[in-house]
């Protein structure tokens, strides 16, 4: 049930900006390249006193899994019932991501895809295409409503006598 080894938390990689022996430099300090947005480390976010005891940590993971499962289950039911289903499902995933690496990876992938979709939606060509398609759809709906009103008047479909 443990999704991560405890050794991963203690691993720290250090780097130095000093040139290696034999590198040619012009004497001026080279600026470090700008790092991309730093993503938080993967792994358990449980308090340290819980991680120290294997039994307590597994119990914590089981509890987090059950709470996350209840929230995801409520979200799935809200897909067919009134309520913000997808928001609640992603809330349950966020609960799982506090403890499980697979949920953290799923949330990172989802965040990246949503960001990419938002960037594509802001593209002027895509916006123009979406506006044109929406306008065409509204014209078709208006034409169908006009034909219905011309043929039947303001009568509702369940009041029409054949």
């Amino acid at each position: 049930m443990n999704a991560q080894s405890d050794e991963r938390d203690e691993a720290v990689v250090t780097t130095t900006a000093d040139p290696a022996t034999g590198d040619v430099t012009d004497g001026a300090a080279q600026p470090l390249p700008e790092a991309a947005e730093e993503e938080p480390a993967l792994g358990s976010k449980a308090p340290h006193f819980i991680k120290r005891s294997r039994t307590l940590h597994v119990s914590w993971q089981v509890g987090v899994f059950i709470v996350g499962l209840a929230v995801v289950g409520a979200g799935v039911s809200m897909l067919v019932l009134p309520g913000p289903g997808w928001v609640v499902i992603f809330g349950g995933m966020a609960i799982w991501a506090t403890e499980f690496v697979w949920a953290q990876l799923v949330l990172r992938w989802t965040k990246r895809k949503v960001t990419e979709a938002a960037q594509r939606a802001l593209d002027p060509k895509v916006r123009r295409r979406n506006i044109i398609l929406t306008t065409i759809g509204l014209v078709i709906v208006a034409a169908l409503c006009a034909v219905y009103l011309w043929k039947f008047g303001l009568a509702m479909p369940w009041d029409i006598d054949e």
Side-chain angles (χ1 to χ4, degrees):
M1 183 120 199
N2 192 3
Q4 167 197 5
S5 75
D6 295 329
E7 291 83 24
R8 229 191 272 184
D9 292 337
E10 289 127 17
V12 176
V13 178
T14 58
T15 59
T16 178
D18 298 330
T21 305
D23 284 352
V24 178
T25 61
D26 59 354
Q30 299 291 329
L32 291 174
E34 292 297 321
E37 184 178 316
E38 188 77 22
E39 291 185 357
L42 296 173
S44 174
K45 308 277 189 292
H48 184 66
F49 73 92
I50 289 177
K51 287 192 220 178
R52 278 191 304 205
S53 169
R54 174 105 174 117
T55 306
L56 192 56
H57 192 220
V58 170
S59 301
W60 178 270
Q61 286 181 326
V62 168
V64 167
F65 183 79
I66 290 171
V67 170
L69 186 63
V71 172
V72 168
V76 168
S77 68
M78 285 184 206
L79 291 175
V80 294
L81 299 172
W86 286 109
V87 173
V88 175
I89 289 172
F90 286 120
M93 289 295 296
I95 291 171
W96 279 338
T98 63
E99 198 56 37
F100 302 108
V101 174
W102 61 266
Q104 293 170 1
L105 294 174
V106 167
L107 284 179
R108 282 184 185 178
W109 179 84
T110 304
K111 181 180 177 184
R112 188 175 64 245
K113 291 298 179 183
V114 167
T115 304
E116 289 172 5
Q119 291 299 323
R120 279 194 311 268
L122 293 176
D123 181 25
K125 290 181 180 179
V126 173
R127 289 186 65 177
R128 190 176 313 117
R129 182 199 65 203
N130 289 346
I131 289 171
I132 290 170
L133 289 174
T134 301
T135 304
I136 290 171
L138 288 174
V139 167
I140 290 172
V141 168
L144 290 174
C145 288
V147 167
Y148 177 85
L149 289 174
W150 174 69
K151 184 158 176 86
F152 300 110
L154 205 50
M156 293 294 126
W158 50 85
D159 291 337
I160 296 175
D161 293 326
E162 293 272 341

